[in-house]
Amino acid sequence: IADRAYVLETGNIVLEGDAKEMIVVYPFIYSSKTKQQCTALDDPQEWEAYDNFVNDLVDDLMPFMKENYSIKEGRENTAVAGFSMGGREALAIGMYRPDLFGYICAVAPAPGLVPGKDGFALHIGQFKEEEICYKEGVTPPYTLILCGDKDSVVGKFPESYDELYTKNNVPHDWYVVKKSDHGDPAISSGFYNFCARNLW
């Protein structure tokens, strides 16, 4: 992956033969029961709305896709990927539902997967550090974590996730995109490399 980390920010990788045809869905992952959108990133109740997305995804969106589109089912045909807060949620979804998702991509994942502190607030974490693991007999999803080397928003949190996954023997790939802040070319590089693995 490192060799391709800075390759292709444009182009149709399906037409180029670097990935199979796929259906890509871009959901709005703020899943509050009372509000339409996030208004304060330093409010823990706002983070809970993002963390609740896994329920919307599994209970509503995935059944909708099955009913309305011709899709292949099974974890071997299903991936979840996200950037920033979406990256954090992608990692969490992989931990919660490895039975449904075979592939996980987290570009510049935000703090809060596990307890931590940044310039915004103290994050209680969705998991304890020791809970970042898969039960015996569960096949871990392929997981890719990456970020830009100059990310001024999430800082060292993506790297800390890499270190935690390594410490807990959770299989994953990790790389850093040079000359990237919180955005492109890290986003393009990450999603390109993730899709171009041609795993599903």
Side-chain angles (χ1 to χ4, degrees):
I1 284 180
D3 291 339
R4 301 189 72 182
Y6 214 41
V7 177
L8 261 194
E9 280 104 22
T10 61
N12 188 322
I13 60 175
V14 173
L15 287 179
E16 291 163 0
D18 289 329
K20 294 181 180 179
E21 291 185 9
M22 64 187 82
I23 296 175
V24 181
V25 182
Y26 291 89
F28 184 63
I29 71 167
Y30 183 78
S31 303
S32 171
K33 296 179 180 179
T34 59
K35 296 175 61 177
Q36 292 296 314
Q37 62 184 17
C38 176
T39 55
L41 277 176
D42 58 352
D43 182 351
Q45 290 185 339
E46 299 280 18
W47 308 331
E48 291 177 6
Y50 287 105
D51 299 342
N52 185 45
F53 172 65
V54 63
N55 298 308
D56 275 359
L57 175 61
V58 172
D59 298 337
D60 298 315
L61 182 55
M62 292 179 74
F64 175 86
M65 293 299 297
K66 178 181 178 180
E67 182 178 344
N68 292 278
Y69 296 90
S70 177
I71 62 173
K72 288 184 177 180
E73 296 184 80
R75 71 188 301 272
E76 68 277 9
N77 297 305
T78 311
V80 62
F83 164 67
S84 196
M85 187 64 82
R88 163 181 140 172
E89 296 311 321
L91 293 176
I93 289 166
M95 285 290 156
Y96 283 129
R97 299 305 305 262
D99 58 316
L100 295 179
F101 298 92
Y103 311 95
I104 309 295
C105 177
V107 180
L113 183 67
V114 294
K117 190 176 189 305
D118 66 357
F120 290 105
L122 178 65
H123 299 271
I124 61 172
Q126 295 164 271
F127 301 88
K128 297 177 182 177
E129 289 195 2
E130 60 269 23
E131 294 175 330
I132 298 298
C133 62
Y134 293 102
K135 294 179 181 178
E136 187 176 347
V138 173
T139 302
Y142 168 75
T143 301
L144 173 63
I145 308 172
L146 66 131
C147 70
D149 64 344
K150 301 183 182 304
D151 197 314
S152 59
V153 177
V154 296
K156 296 293 184 180
F157 276 93
E159 183 177 357
S160 75
Y161 295 152
D162 163 53
E163 292 170 353
L164 178 59
Y165 274 54
T166 300
K167 175 184 173 184
N168 290 4
N169 296 313
V170 179
H172 70 290
D173 285 335
W174 156 259
Y175 74 86
V176 175
V177 179
K178 295 180 179 179
K179 299 180 181 179
S180 181
D181 198 339
H182 195 65
D184 271 328
I187 297 172
S188 298
S189 173
F191 291 156
Y192 176 87
N193 282 299
F194 184 61
C195 292
R197 285 187 62 88
N198 209 18
L199 293 174
W200 57 86

